[in-house]
Amino acid sequence: MATKAAFVALAVAVLPLAGCGSNDTDSAQTSAPAASSAPAGNGVTALSPDEIVTKAKAALATAKSFHVKGDVAQDGEKTGIDLKLNGDDFIGAMTMGTAKVELLAVGGKKYMRPNDEFWTTAAGAQGKTVAQLVNGRWVAGADSDQSFADMFSIGDVNEMLKPTGALSKGDEKQINGVPALGLNDAGDPGSVLYVATTGEPYPLQMVGSDKSTVDFTEFGETFTDIKAPATKDVVDLGKLGG
């Protein structure tokens, strides 16, 4: 399809998540609670940065489900990300202005559902034709093409938490009310991953030099919207053009 290169270029702009954001949590509490009421630490502050990331990945694997939401910036353009995961399954969306693409992985199958604005942004008049053919349905078979398959790495926890350079320990502060330790990424100065220092060592927030923030929440929750679409709501990628 002639729309492919533009489509992928638009999607790849938001990956990997590891390079996203700077801290928008100025309003979060930054002072530690009184020692007498402070919860016991989980031991991550005594570990090396790489060991902390390993612990964070293990915590997510144990929780199995969680929610990732926020904004990333690329070349001055803001992209919204809203992703719910349950093991290998996930449902999510990336939004760039009025252009939006939904991604769904469930039961070993992968689907994408771009809106009309996404198609036309990617390929102009031809994109409009494709949008008419798709007609708001989920597109199956995208993962059989490596260019499209790369988009689904957004649901890969290893990619989410993969730094671009060496990690070092940074400041301790509260993120959404939870004590956390920041891990600074030398590959993107100003980029920080905050990991909880009490309770489970969940990653809580990713911030960075591009003024965007992504939060991790709803650990262990049930997401009923992660489900296979009805057959009538699916069209195969191979039927959209040659």
Side-chain angles (χ1 to χ4, degrees):
M1 292 173 58
T3 60
K4 186 184 301 180
F7 186 95
V8 173
L10 193 56
V12 167
V14 304
L15 298 173
L17 286 180
C20 66
S22 118
N23 196 2
D24 279 345
T25 57
D26 290 339
S27 60
Q29 297 179 4
T30 58
S31 59
S36 60
S37 61
N42 56 22
V44 299
T45 57
L47 302 177
S48 71
D50 289 341
E51 289 173 331
I52 294 172
V53 172
T54 298
K55 285 281 189 181
K57 291 178 182 179
L60 289 182
T62 299
K64 192 173 181 179
S65 61
F66 57 99
H67 190 181
V68 182
K69 186 176 182 180
D71 296 307
V72 298
Q74 180 77 17
D75 298 328
E77 295 291 330
K78 181 177 287 188
T79 299
I81 294 176
D82 191 345
L83 185 67
K84 297 176 181 177
L85 302 96
N86 183 10
D88 292 331
D89 294 344
F90 66 84
I91 187 169
M94 296 185 293
T95 306
M96 305 175 79
T98 59
K100 178 180 180 179
V101 58
E102 295 173 86
L103 298 171
L104 172 65
V106 59
K109 297 183 179 180
K110 296 180 174 65
Y111 311 85
M112 64 182 184
R113 184 165 63 180
N115 66 2
D116 291 356
E117 289 81 3
F118 196 106
W119 288 119
T120 54
T121 298
Q126 187 173 8
K128 184 176 182 180
T129 299
V130 174
Q132 292 173 342
L133 292 171
V134 173
N135 192 29
R137 292 174 290 179
W138 288 98
V139 178
D143 54 316
S144 63
D145 184 296
Q146 189 57 49
S147 297
F148 287 116
D150 289 343
M151 296 177 59
F152 291 94
S153 65
I154 191 174
D156 186 333
V157 171
N158 289 319
E159 288 297 318
M160 287 184 192
L161 302 183
K162 183 178 180 180
T164 58
L167 293 174
S168 62
K169 293 181 182 178
D171 296 334
E172 292 188 50
K173 62 186 300 182
Q174 290 201 6
I175 301 297
N176 299 322
V178 179
L181 172 67
L183 299 178
N184 300 319
D185 186 347
D188 181 18
S191 179
V192 186
L193 169 66
Y194 286 97
V195 178
T197 57
T198 61
E200 294 297 326
Y202 293 128
L204 299 178
Q205 190 177 80
M206 296 171 65
V207 299
S209 56
D210 58 9
K211 307 301 181 183
S212 299
T213 303
V214 173
D215 290 299
F216 292 72
T217 60
E218 297 181 78
F219 305 102
E221 293 295 319
T222 299
F223 301 126
T224 59
D225 45 349
I226 304 178
K227 60 184 179 181
T231 302
K232 66 181 179 62
D233 295 327
V234 179
V235 61
D236 192 89
L237 178 66
K239 299 179 180 180
L240 295 181

